[in-house]
Every structure is written in structure tokens, then in C-alpha cells.
Amino acid sequence: MAGIKNVFWLFIIFLVLAFLPLHIWFLLLIPYFVLVFRGSDSRKEKLINKIRSNLTGDEQLEIIAVELRIFALFHRRYAVCVTNNRVICIRPKILGGFRPMEEWQWKYMTEVMIEENSFPSIQGSNLAYIFSSDTPNNDRSFSISGLNSSDASKIYNFSNSQKQQWAEKNRIRRMEEARAASGGMNFMPSQHAGSTPPMVGGSVIENKLREAKSLLDNGLISNAEYQERKSKILSEHI
């Protein structure tokens, strides 16, 4: 309801100004429209360029969404974007420049939620994130209201896919840590005399992992297929 509240307060302000002389109207409203509305398209482009300038070498900007105007009647519009590494929020200052950029890495995300407002075509949708306690960012939660519903859905779906990928990566990491803690060996059950001597499971795993990594490096399988093979190899031998 934040957007509706903004419109309500703007209406109250105009109602109060109605009792003032016309020249006072111009003195108050012209700076307001200049600061908030004038050049909004060029400011949006600056916002996107600011985000792009802060990306690392291998980082790709996937989706960007900017607040709907109804949610930004008293400030410059905020933006949220997602990359293959993190989620970023950037907030311009009313008189120019930007506040410190906020960012959270995907590996710390524990939950993402989306909520469609009462009038989606006007109010759009809201996004909210929750991050684990070991995130280096001071804030464990982040939310932004009034995004275009289509953009918000795309960000939500992409965030969920990152959540699932990192859940699998973390599962594999825990398995590898457990194997390392046990000495990296997994002996086969004892066999009868004269049969093939037991093999050290660690070397078998390493060979299979090297083979899968070679396929990835040579472009024969995708990263997703590599992660799937890696998970299967570890689950079979640990």
C-alpha cells in the first residue's frame, strides 16, 4: 500500500498548497518537479550504467528492475538487479549521486519471496530476500516495493534458480569436506583370497572427477552437466 499512501500524501500537500498564492505554488512545485520528474529517462540510463560499471570481469547483468513512479514521488527511483554472482540494490540521492551500493552474494541467500500488490498494473509487485547469518553484509534481509510485475517475476525466478544451484553446490562441498575429514579414503569391502586387491576409493573418485572436469574444459559438457556428474560421482563413493 506504500504507493497508495504516497498518492494520498501528495494529494494532501496539493490541498494545502491550494490555499497559498499562485507564486508560492510555482516556488514550491517547480523545484519538486525538476528534482523528481525532469530527465527521468536519462537518470534511469545513468542508473543502469552505474550498475554496469561496478560489475566484475566475469560478471553478467541478467535482469534489472526500477521502482514504479507511484512508489517514488518523494525520492529518486531505486533499482534492483541480479547478476550471475549477486543481487544488487542501488539508491540515487535526490540532489544527484548515489548512496553506497548494497549487494548480497547468492551463496548466502536462504529465501526469496514475491508479493503482487492489489493493483498490479499500477502498484506492481514487491520482492524480499533473506540471507544466512554468515553473510558479510550487515543486513540479513532486503526488500523493495513497487517493481514492474513482469520484471519482478523474472528476478524471482532467476533468484530461485540460483538458490537451488547453491544448495546443490553446498551439498557437494559438505560431502567433500566430510571425505577430507575422514582421510580421503573409502576402502572396498574385504574380498576372498586370490581376488583383486581392494582399491582406494579416493583415487577412483579423483580420476572420475578429473575426467568430468576435462570434458567441461574441452566444451563437451555444460557447467550444469558437470555439476550433475560431480554430484553423482561423490554420492556413489561417499
Side-chain angles (χ1 to χ4, degrees):
M1 296 298 291
I4 301 299
K5 290 179 181 178
N6 283 346
V7 173
F8 171 77
W9 284 114
L10 191 63
F11 173 76
I12 295 297
I13 291 172
F14 276 109
L15 198 62
V16 172
L17 291 176
F19 295 96
L20 298 176
L22 188 60
H23 67 279
I24 301 295
W25 263 77
F26 283 104
L27 287 175
L28 295 175
L29 291 181
I30 290 178
Y32 169 75
F33 280 100
V34 168
L35 290 173
V36 177
F37 294 99
R38 183 175 177 272
S40 58
D41 290 338
S42 63
R43 288 200 300 268
K44 182 178 178 180
E45 188 65 29
K46 288 181 181 178
L47 196 65
I48 296 173
N49 291 335
K50 176 67 175 177
I51 293 172
R52 291 187 184 277
S53 68
N54 283 276
L55 300 181
T56 58
D58 62 341
E59 194 171 19
Q60 296 180 352
L61 181 61
E62 302 290 344
I63 310 160
I64 183 169
V66 180
E67 269 189 312
L68 296 175
R69 172 53 66 191
I70 193 174
F71 283 81
L73 295 176
F74 304 105
H75 64 258
R76 296 276 175 85
R77 287 188 287 180
Y78 301 156
V80 60
C81 73
V82 292
T83 74
N84 53 321
N85 293 337
R86 53 187 168 156
V87 54
I88 301 171
C89 178
I90 189 164
R91 306 174 192 267
K93 295 179 181 178
I94 189 72
L95 294 177
F98 298 89
R99 294 186 176 90
M101 190 172 66
E102 301 171 279
E103 59 174 317
W104 295 264
Q105 295 181 14
W106 292 122
K107 62 182 177 181
Y108 299 114
M109 184 182 65
T110 58
E111 194 60 67
V112 57
M113 294 160 283
I114 187 171
E115 176 190 19
E116 192 173 68
N117 288 312
S118 303
F119 305 99
S121 59
I122 300 174
Q123 295 176 279
S125 299
N126 311 325
L127 281 174
Y129 290 87
I130 299 176
F131 301 89
S132 62
S133 57
D134 52 348
T135 175
N137 194 298
N138 293 328
D139 296 324
R140 287 188 54 196
S141 62
F142 157 70
S143 62
I144 186 168
S145 302
L147 300 175
N148 177 278
S149 291
S150 175
D151 292 338
S153 295
K154 291 176 183 177
I155 291 178
Y156 172 76
N157 292 331
F158 183 83
S159 301
N160 253 331
S161 69
Q162 289 294 321
K163 176 185 173 183
Q164 293 168 6
Q165 288 180 31
W166 276 102
E168 179 63 15
K169 290 178 182 179
N170 289 332
R171 186 183 73 83
I172 293 173
R173 178 177 56 82
R174 288 192 295 269
M175 292 172 64
E176 291 175 337
E177 288 174 350
R179 183 175 72 85
S182 64
M185 296 185 178
N186 183 22
F187 292 97
M188 300 288 286
S190 59
Q191 300 180 3
H192 296 292
S195 60
T196 305
M199 295 182 61
V200 177
S203 61
V204 175
I205 296 173
E206 290 167 3
N207 289 335
K208 290 186 176 182
L209 289 175
R210 276 196 293 268
E211 181 183 348
K213 185 65 166 62
S214 176
L215 292 173
L216 174 65
D217 293 339
N218 291 322
L220 299 176
I221 60 174
S222 65
N223 185 61
E225 291 173 318
Y226 168 69
Q227 294 296 340
E228 184 179 353
R229 289 192 181 206
K230 184 178 178 182
S231 175
K232 184 177 179 181
I233 292 168
L234 292 172
S235 64
E236 287 176 350
H237 292 86
I238 297 180

